[in-house]
Amino acid sequence: MAKTSTIERDKKRRRLAQKYKARRTRLKAIAADRTLPAEERFAARLKLAELPRNSSPTRVRNRCDLTGRPRGYYRKLRMSRIALRDLSSQGQIPGMVKSSW
């Protein structure tokens, strides 16, 4: 079995979270509805537990698209602070000038 990179793993989690989004919200609404019988709510919780673990949106982690680094992530640029610094030092990012590094 080939080892997948963290970037590919994160992309797979994003795909699964999007695919199962409607089903998860429907099952969560049934499980939280106190007007329904307890058996029906419990069955909804069991079906929710049967869904793939990676389909949960909380398992998705913001990662740099270039390096896969999860820390120091800029959402607008979709990259880490280190990758941003490297690209700006090389002059790859228009409008960004070197300050004092």
Side-chain angles (χ1 to χ4, degrees):
M1 187 166 105
K3 186 175 182 180
T4 60
S5 71
T6 55
I7 299 171
E8 292 301 316
R9 196 179 321 151
D10 191 59
K11 286 180 182 178
K12 179 182 176 184
R13 286 179 179 167
R14 287 181 193 276
R15 258 194 330 268
L16 282 173
Q18 189 63 36
K19 179 180 176 183
Y20 287 99
K21 184 177 183 178
R23 194 179 307 176
R24 288 184 79 85
T25 54
R26 183 175 47 83
L27 288 172
K28 281 186 175 186
I30 292 170
D33 190 2
R34 304 291 283 175
T35 61
L36 296 174
E39 296 84 20
E40 195 171 331
R41 288 185 286 137
F42 185 69
R45 291 234 181 245
L46 288 177
K47 286 181 184 173
L48 192 62
E50 288 175 1
L51 293 179
R53 187 174 284 176
N54 283 334
S55 68
S56 175
T58 57
R59 289 182 61 98
V60 174
R61 174 98 187 193
N62 288 332
R63 290 186 175 272
C64 176
D65 285 345
L66 301 175
T67 62
R69 182 180 164 83
R71 310 281 179 161
Y73 177 82
Y74 291 104
R75 288 179 186 217
K76 283 189 175 181
L77 303 172
R78 297 187 49 86
M79 67 175 67
S80 69
R81 63 183 178 83
I82 296 170
L84 177 68
R85 181 176 172 171
D86 289 343
L87 289 177
S88 59
S89 292
Q90 297 168 5
Q92 298 287 327
I93 301 176
M96 186 168 281
V97 293
K98 180 181 172 185
S99 177
S100 61
W101 60 60

